Amino acid sequence: MTPRQRRQHHAGLGIIATAPRKSYLGRFTPLTSVQSGWIKSLLTTWGEGVGGKTAPRMPRGHACWNVLRGRNWSDKALERFTVALNQAREEGLRGQQAMNRAHSILWPQTPVSVIDEALHNDDVNFVEQCVLLALDASDPVYLVGIQYYTTRKKISDITRELQVIAPWLTQEKARERVKWCLQIFRARVFLSARTLLSEQ
């Protein structure tokens, strides 16, 4: 982390520490269990794909998401994709390989050219685009979400960081605020993904 990013991160944690309730951190629409499971799977895969970076890069396009667009966008489609992604993880695949495997489970077809293969590798970029459209880089919710998904930090690790900034918070209250941020992060990225898919 650069000194500027560190200052921004500490300022964001300070805002989170003083939030009296979840709505103070921003408005969001709660997700159903299927929607939440779907976006958690995608964000986990995305985090594994871009792990170690302090921020996502601008995406170039997206391939498998075109299949879910329009009338195909439903909770049932999301549930099928989540199951396929979990199956890929159980097979020992991670990151983009898991995404590619899930895609091949749901829509089995062999790529006919190098161009087709390249299109299948753009899935992580789609999630990055959703994150960038959903949240501003200075948003405290964004800072916690990026830290959680891209650095493999656990909720307990972020809770301890928050308590260093705000020692008056009990562990329970600090943990609650981290969870608020992650709920808002997932909900906004989900809505961003739905908007992008419906525009296709």
Side-chain angles (χ1 to χ4, degrees), residues 111-132:
V112 294
S113 70
V114 175
I115 294 172
D116 288 338
E117 185 67 31
L119 288 175
H120 289 291
N121 291 331
D122 283 340
D123 298 329
V124 168
N125 290 333
F126 172 71
V127 180
E128 287 186 16
Q129 184 178 11
C130 295
V131 170
L132 289 169

Side-chain angles (χ1 to χ4, degrees), residues 56-84:
R57 60 190 188 283
M58 283 301 287
R60 295 179 299 280
H62 38 86
C64 83
W65 309 106
N66 293 332
V67 182
L68 289 175
R69 71 176 180 230
R71 59 180 165 68
N72 294 324
W73 178 265
S74 68
D75 283 353
K76 189 146 186 87
L78 299 180
E79 190 171 9
R80 286 180 61 234
F81 193 84
T82 302
V83 167

Side-chain angles (χ1 to χ4, degrees), residues 99-168:
M99 192 72 80
N100 292 344
R101 176 66 179 134
H103 186 273
S104 68
I105 290 168
L106 291 173
W107 305 286
Q109 56 182 352
T110 54
V112 294
S113 70
V114 175
I115 294 172
D116 288 338
E117 185 67 31
L119 288 175
H120 289 291
N121 291 331
D122 283 340
D123 298 329
V124 168
N125 290 333
F126 172 71
V127 180
E128 287 186 16
Q129 184 178 11
C130 295
V131 170
L132 289 169
L133 290 175
L135 296 149
D136 186 77
S138 61
D139 190 326
V141 169
Y142 169 88
L143 298 172
V144 169
I146 291 294
Q147 191 176 25
Y148 180 76
Y149 283 105
T150 64
T151 67
R152 297 179 185 257
K153 283 195 175 181
K154 298 175 185 168
I155 291 176
S156 56
D157 297 328
I158 303 170
T159 299
R160 279 192 294 277
E161 283 185 29
L162 185 56
Q163 284 186 292
V164 168
I165 299 291
W168 64 87

